Amino acid sequence: MAKKEIIESILIPEDKLLKRVAELGEEINRDFEGEEVLLVGLLKGSVIFLSDLARKIKLPCMLDFMSVTSYGNDIESSGEVRFLKDLDSDINGKNVIIVEDIIDTGLTLREVIKVLKARNPKTLKVCTLLNKVSRRLVDVEVDYNGFDIPDAFVVGYGLDYAQKYRNLNYIGILKLIDE
Ligand code: 5GP
């Protein structure tokens, strides 16, 4: 049976997102005072968050991107990670901050951290907008966390369902209902 997509409710409205993103930027400014940082965005979900966050960072700041995907269907990850695009820059000796849209099981991040650590950055931190703590399967250290959220499938502000909804200016809960 065909499924209809509905935004069931707004979990985080735009004003709360922007306020929290500004706070995360301030934390990064404080922690790296006098240093340079390289923001590594994980495509595509982090791009909206990263572009707002980057503009709150008052330090010398560079941007780079990598693309990883987990095997599985649109809503459930299988836990296996595939690398689609690597960074353009050398991160050796740099203060790297991985910018992620959401941490769910933690499997994606664990693989990305493993790969980036092996390239000898000066520091390696993790900044996520959303954190589904109850779904965690592997332990990953999160240095900057926007919001802890419940176990629901969310879209908006960069997060998609079948590549749609990334342009919403809020985080909403998506439900698939029988038509
Ligand atoms: P993990 O490897 O931590 O299980 O999953 C991380 C990735 O799964 C995220 O970067 C995101 O692409 C996807 N993901 C996990 N939960 C959600 C969700 O609620 N909504 C959307 N749109 N993607 C999610």
Tab-separated table of all heavy atoms in Angstrom, residues 4 6-7 9-10 17-18 30 40 52 55 59 72 80 91-92 102 108-109 112 118 127 138 152 161 164 170 172:
chain	number	residue	atom	x	y	z
A	4	LYS	N	1.794	7.751	2.706
A	4	LYS	CA	1.778	9.207	2.597
A	4	LYS	C	2.709	9.772	3.653
A	4	LYS	O	2.734	9.278	4.784
A	4	LYS	CB	0.349	9.689	2.831
A	4	LYS	CG	0.165	11.142	2.594
A	4	LYS	CD	-1.306	11.504	2.659
A	4	LYS	CE	-1.424	13.002	2.697
A	4	LYS	NZ	-2.625	13.451	3.321
A	6	ILE	N	3.810	12.659	6.204
A	6	ILE	CA	3.306	13.873	6.865
A	6	ILE	C	4.303	14.339	7.926
A	6	ILE	O	4.964	13.539	8.572
A	6	ILE	CB	1.917	13.690	7.527
A	6	ILE	CG1	1.942	12.512	8.511
A	6	ILE	CG2	0.813	13.536	6.531
A	6	ILE	CD1	0.881	12.625	9.571
A	7	ILE	N	4.391	15.655	8.081
A	7	ILE	CA	5.164	16.200	9.199
A	7	ILE	C	4.197	16.207	10.381
A	7	ILE	O	3.260	16.996	10.432
A	7	ILE	CB	5.663	17.644	8.919
A	7	ILE	CG1	6.494	17.701	7.633
A	7	ILE	CG2	6.438	18.188	10.123
A	7	ILE	CD1	7.881	17.137	7.718
A	9	SER	N	4.747	16.746	13.662
A	9	SER	CA	4.866	17.890	14.576
A	9	SER	C	6.225	18.548	14.390
A	9	SER	O	7.150	17.954	13.822
A	9	SER	CB	4.727	17.419	16.026
A	9	SER	OG	5.720	16.460	16.301
A	10	ILE	N	6.302	19.774	14.872
A	10	ILE	CA	7.583	20.494	14.848
A	10	ILE	C	8.292	20.198	16.164
A	10	ILE	O	7.756	20.481	17.237
A	10	ILE	CB	7.353	22.011	14.663
A	10	ILE	CG1	6.733	22.262	13.287
A	10	ILE	CG2	8.672	22.774	14.817
A	10	ILE	CD1	6.462	23.724	12.969
A	17	LEU	N	16.679	26.621	17.048
A	17	LEU	CA	17.837	26.084	16.313
A	17	LEU	C	18.932	27.139	16.228
A	17	LEU	O	20.093	26.889	16.559
A	17	LEU	CB	17.429	25.687	14.884
A	17	LEU	CG	16.646	24.389	14.720
A	17	LEU	CD1	16.118	24.264	13.286
A	17	LEU	CD2	17.521	23.183	15.043
A	18	LEU	N	18.529	28.340	15.802
A	18	LEU	CA	19.538	29.384	15.563
A	18	LEU	C	20.200	29.822	16.865
A	18	LEU	O	21.399	30.092	16.898
A	18	LEU	CB	18.904	30.574	14.826
A	18	LEU	CG	18.394	30.220	13.423
A	18	LEU	CD1	17.809	31.448	12.738
A	18	LEU	CD2	19.499	29.612	12.553
A	30	ARG	N	35.576	29.882	22.195
A	30	ARG	CA	36.275	29.880	23.492
A	30	ARG	C	37.331	28.779	23.549
A	30	ARG	O	38.468	29.010	23.925
A	30	ARG	CB	35.265	29.604	24.623
A	30	ARG	CG	34.723	30.852	25.301
A	30	ARG	CD	34.088	30.511	26.650
A	30	ARG	NE	33.161	29.393	26.619
A	30	ARG	CZ	31.877	29.479	26.297
A	30	ARG	NH1	31.342	30.644	25.983
A	30	ARG	NH2	31.100	28.419	26.317
A	40	VAL	N	34.772	19.877	9.286
A	40	VAL	CA	34.566	18.804	8.315
A	40	VAL	C	33.090	18.411	8.338
A	40	VAL	O	32.619	17.786	9.297
A	40	VAL	CB	35.456	17.587	8.635
A	40	VAL	CG1	35.028	16.372	7.815
A	40	VAL	CG2	36.921	17.909	8.348
A	52	ASP	N	25.376	27.704	9.015
A	52	ASP	CA	25.004	28.636	10.099
A	52	ASP	C	26.076	28.653	11.178
A	52	ASP	O	26.444	29.712	11.689
A	52	ASP	CB	23.654	28.235	10.708
A	52	ASP	CG	22.474	28.668	9.839
A	52	ASP	OD1	22.666	29.557	8.971
A	52	ASP	OD2	21.371	28.124	10.026
A	55	ARG	N	29.315	30.637	10.412
A	55	ARG	CA	29.202	32.099	10.495
A	55	ARG	C	29.171	32.609	11.916
A	55	ARG	O	29.210	33.810	12.149
A	55	ARG	CB	27.980	32.563	9.691
A	55	ARG	CG	28.291	32.518	8.194
A	55	ARG	CD	27.104	32.832	7.361
A	55	ARG	NE	26.136	31.725	7.387
A	55	ARG	CZ	24.952	31.786	6.808
A	55	ARG	NH1	24.572	32.882	6.201
A	55	ARG	NH2	24.151	30.741	6.854
A	59	LEU	N	37.023	32.548	14.536
A	59	LEU	CA	38.430	32.143	14.426
A	59	LEU	C	38.754	31.963	12.944
A	59	LEU	O	37.846	31.796	12.148
A	59	LEU	CB	38.624	30.779	15.114
A	59	LEU	CG	38.045	30.616	16.507
A	59	LEU	CD1	37.947	29.137	16.865
A	59	LEU	CD2	38.940	31.345	17.507
A	72	GLY	N	21.422	0.306	3.806
A	72	GLY	CA	20.137	0.123	4.489
A	72	GLY	C	19.067	0.876	3.735
A	72	GLY	O	19.310	1.402	2.662
A	80	GLU	N	26.631	-0.690	8.266
A	80	GLU	CA	27.841	-0.714	7.437
A	80	GLU	C	27.991	0.640	6.762
A	80	GLU	O	27.019	1.197	6.261
A	80	GLU	CB	27.685	-1.756	6.340
A	80	GLU	CG	28.169	-3.128	6.730
A	80	GLU	CD	27.918	-4.088	5.592
A	80	GLU	OE1	28.776	-4.219	4.719
A	80	GLU	OE2	26.804	-4.649	5.570
A	91	ILE	N	44.646	16.905	6.748
A	91	ILE	CA	44.270	17.360	8.095
A	91	ILE	C	45.387	17.174	9.117
A	91	ILE	O	45.202	17.473	10.297
A	91	ILE	CB	42.982	16.653	8.595
A	91	ILE	CG1	43.206	15.140	8.747
A	91	ILE	CG2	41.822	16.941	7.658
A	91	ILE	CD1	42.087	14.467	9.536
A	92	ASN	N	46.521	16.717	8.662
A	92	ASN	CA	47.668	16.510	9.551
A	92	ASN	C	48.000	17.809	10.311
A	92	ASN	O	48.209	18.849	9.697
A	92	ASN	CB	48.860	16.075	8.668
A	92	ASN	CG	50.059	15.675	9.507
A	92	ASN	OD1	50.022	15.742	10.734
A	92	ASN	ND2	51.125	15.268	8.850
A	102	ILE	N	23.135	14.442	12.766
A	102	ILE	CA	22.473	13.664	13.823
A	102	ILE	C	23.301	12.423	14.124
A	102	ILE	O	23.858	11.820	13.211
A	102	ILE	CB	21.027	13.288	13.394
A	102	ILE	CG1	20.277	12.554	14.496
A	102	ILE	CG2	20.983	12.485	12.114
A	102	ILE	CD1	18.766	12.484	14.260
A	108	THR	N	28.181	5.390	12.041
A	108	THR	CA	28.786	6.221	10.998
A	108	THR	C	29.955	7.009	11.573
A	108	THR	O	31.056	7.014	11.023
A	108	THR	CB	27.742	7.221	10.433
A	108	THR	OG1	26.580	6.509	10.051
A	108	THR	CG2	28.290	8.010	9.266
A	109	LEU	N	29.696	7.651	12.684
A	109	LEU	CA	30.712	8.510	13.289
A	109	LEU	C	31.931	7.711	13.740
A	109	LEU	O	33.068	8.151	13.589
A	109	LEU	CB	30.084	9.234	14.476
A	109	LEU	CG	30.773	10.513	14.851
A	109	LEU	CD1	30.837	11.461	13.668
A	109	LEU	CD2	30.016	11.174	15.980
A	112	VAL	N	34.072	7.235	10.730
A	112	VAL	CA	34.686	8.492	10.282
A	112	VAL	C	35.818	8.887	11.235
A	112	VAL	O	36.910	9.281	10.797
A	112	VAL	CB	33.616	9.613	10.192
A	112	VAL	CG1	34.250	10.972	9.944
A	112	VAL	CG2	32.611	9.289	9.100
A	118	ALA	N	43.578	8.471	12.017
A	118	ALA	CA	44.772	7.864	11.415
A	118	ALA	C	45.578	8.886	10.605
A	118	ALA	O	46.723	8.639	10.250
A	118	ALA	CB	44.353	6.712	10.520
A	127	CYS	N	31.039	17.643	16.611
A	127	CYS	CA	29.951	18.591	16.876
A	127	CYS	C	28.717	18.086	16.147
A	127	CYS	O	28.721	17.963	14.928
A	127	CYS	CB	30.346	19.966	16.343
A	127	CYS	SG	29.067	21.208	16.498
A	138	VAL	N	27.129	2.129	19.692
A	138	VAL	CA	28.558	2.199	20.022
A	138	VAL	C	28.838	3.547	20.675
A	138	VAL	O	28.203	4.555	20.363
A	138	VAL	CB	29.461	2.013	18.772
A	138	VAL	CG1	29.326	0.616	18.213
A	138	VAL	CG2	29.176	3.054	17.709
A	152	ALA	N	12.712	9.359	17.194
A	152	ALA	CA	11.695	9.579	16.161
A	152	ALA	C	12.463	9.920	14.896
A	152	ALA	O	13.611	10.355	14.979
A	152	ALA	CB	10.799	10.748	16.554
A	161	TYR	N	14.297	13.025	3.981
A	161	TYR	CA	13.702	11.711	3.750
A	161	TYR	C	13.628	11.575	2.232
A	161	TYR	O	12.988	12.424	1.580
A	161	TYR	CB	12.292	11.596	4.367
A	161	TYR	CG	11.638	10.280	3.985
A	161	TYR	CD1	12.122	9.083	4.487
A	161	TYR	CD2	10.587	10.245	3.065
A	161	TYR	CE1	11.574	7.879	4.106
A	161	TYR	CE2	10.028	9.040	2.680
A	161	TYR	CZ	10.530	7.858	3.205
A	161	TYR	OH	9.994	6.658	2.812
A	164	LYS	N	14.276	14.710	0.268
A	164	LYS	CA	13.381	15.864	0.422
A	164	LYS	C	13.422	16.397	1.849
A	164	LYS	O	13.931	15.735	2.743
A	164	LYS	CB	11.936	15.484	0.077
A	164	LYS	CG	11.744	15.180	-1.387
A	164	LYS	CD	10.312	14.768	-1.661
A	164	LYS	CE	10.014	13.415	-1.050
A	164	LYS	NZ	8.678	12.914	-1.328
A	170	TYR	N	12.951	24.253	10.149
A	170	TYR	CA	12.761	23.679	11.485
A	170	TYR	C	13.059	22.182	11.419
A	170	TYR	O	13.195	21.615	10.336
A	170	TYR	CB	11.323	23.907	11.971
A	170	TYR	CG	10.268	23.333	11.050
A	170	TYR	CD1	9.876	21.994	11.135
A	170	TYR	CD2	9.661	24.123	10.061
A	170	TYR	CE1	8.929	21.468	10.281
A	170	TYR	CE2	8.714	23.594	9.191
A	170	TYR	CZ	8.357	22.273	9.306
A	170	TYR	OH	7.423	21.734	8.454
A	172	GLY	N	11.371	18.685	12.077
A	172	GLY	CA	10.032	18.126	12.270
A	172	GLY	C	10.084	16.610	12.349
A	172	GLY	O	11.042	15.984	11.881
